[in-house]
Amino acid sequence: MRKLFVKTENYKRFTSAVNAVEQRGAAEAGMLLVHGEPGFGKTQVVSRWAAEVGAVHLRANVDWTPRYFLVELHKALGIEAQGRAEEMFQSALKVITASNLPLVIDEAEFTLHNKAQVLEKVRDFSDRAEVTVILVGMERIQSSISKHKQISGRIAQVVEFKAAPLADVAQACELLSEVAIAPDLVSEVHRLSGGRMREVLNIIAAVERVAKLNGHERVGLEHVQGVPLSHDWRTRTPLTAKPGKGKGEGR
């Protein structure tokens, strides 16, 4: 599979929201919340953006405390973590302010423990440095954050990642697959994946294996009948292509 990045509809909506936050009127409203079900590409899209702009990218842990967060932040900034918590905050703030680095927190649910102490510390950086802060979490994180008015009032944009449309899946198949995938099979990839880009990538890899095994340069629906292309984790059963399916029909 080719190592390329597919600019999906979710990516376009995310970057549009980032631009809106960066052009905000109220300096303190510098947060962007990204949420959605697993597999819709949140981490991949945000990680790509963070790498492109040089953002500080952290993945929250279940046992994060404010000090633990500050230690991880110092590591990401490439500075030594030492002193009391307030001294660590000031040293990190100095670097972030001087470089105007955006801050990305993935698995942001873990910042909400103990009355959102860690997220309050993140808010402090947003307020003091006036940098863009992106919080990435699961579908329920918006309602959880709404309970903390001091934080939710800082969120200028919310982006919900949704299932990829057929056009996104077709683009992924064209750009990423090292073998040609026929339109009928593209539609089946869309159906089997449920629009989850993570599954789309797995299915493309499975199609490539079928092509390599059988010497196909172009793979259509007829070539993968009965071949497990994906896996339903809920029922623990393999998912196979079915004739006559496509055009985004339900699983």
Side-chain angles (χ1 to χ4, degrees):
M1 190 183 303
R2 300 187 186 101
K3 301 298 183 182
L4 299 174
F5 180 74
V6 180
K7 295 184 177 181
T8 61
E9 287 299 317
N10 283 327
Y11 169 84
K12 294 172 185 176
R13 292 190 299 109
F14 167 73
T15 53
S16 176
V18 170
N19 291 335
V21 173
E22 292 177 342
Q23 297 170 19
R24 64 190 180 273
E28 69 276 10
M31 289 187 174
L32 165 62
L33 176 62
V34 176
H35 70 95
E37 294 181 17
F40 286 167
K42 300 183 300 297
T43 296
Q44 182 186 32
V45 166
V46 176
S47 297
R48 170 77 178 209
W49 175 84
E52 288 178 347
V53 303
V56 181
H57 191 187
L58 299 176
R59 182 183 182 275
N61 293 325
V62 66
D63 55 349
W64 257 18
T65 62
R67 184 176 180 85
Y68 187 177
F69 158 65
L70 288 171
V71 169
E72 293 297 301
L73 180 58
H74 275 66
K75 290 179 182 177
L77 292 171
I79 57 179
E80 187 176 356
Q82 60 182 359
R84 295 178 291 109
E86 178 57 27
E87 294 171 329
M88 293 173 64
F89 175 84
Q90 292 297 334
S91 60
L93 179 64
K94 181 178 180 181
V95 174
I96 291 173
T97 303
S99 55
N100 196 35
L101 292 172
L103 179 60
V104 176
I105 308 292
D106 204 352
E107 306 282 356
E109 291 87 357
F110 296 139
T111 67
L112 293 169
H113 298 328
N114 299 319
K115 299 181 180 180
Q117 289 182 354
V118 174
L119 193 50
E120 287 286 1
K121 189 63 66 177
V122 174
R123 179 180 68 85
D124 287 341
F125 281 107
S126 177
D127 286 354
R128 300 275 293 277
E130 297 184 0
V131 295
T132 299
V133 173
I134 297 173
L135 306 174
V136 185
M138 300 294 284
E139 61 269 25
R140 297 185 182 88
I141 191 172
Q142 186 173 8
S143 61
S144 298
I145 290 179
S146 67
K147 300 173 185 177
H148 305 277
K149 303 302 181 184
Q150 281 287 89
I151 298 169
S152 61
R154 263 70 174 178
I155 296 177
Q157 294 283 321
V158 177
V159 178
E160 179 185 1
F161 271 48
K162 301 177 181 179
L166 179 59
D168 279 355
V169 174
Q171 183 184 24
C173 289
E174 179 181 0
L175 294 178
L176 302 180
S177 178
E178 295 184 2
V179 298
I181 299 179
D184 61 350
L185 183 51
V186 169
S187 294
E188 187 66 356
V189 173
H190 182 236
R191 184 189 73 84
L192 288 173
S193 68
R196 286 176 165 79
M197 290 305 295
R198 183 186 301 164
E199 279 303 301
V200 171
L201 300 183
N202 289 336
I203 295 172
I204 291 174
V207 170
E208 288 181 336
R209 288 194 294 271
V210 171
K212 183 177 181 180
L213 182 64
N214 296 281
H216 299 313
E217 294 184 358
R218 176 183 171 88
V219 184
L221 191 55
E222 71 275 12
H223 298 119
V224 294
Q225 294 302 310
V227 177
L229 296 178
S230 185
H231 188 85
D232 189 329
W233 59 269
R234 293 165 297 188
T235 61
R236 299 182 181 180
T237 57
L239 298 174
T240 58
K242 297 179 181 179
K245 292 289 184 180
K247 299 300 182 183
E249 295 180 34
R251 299 177 84 172

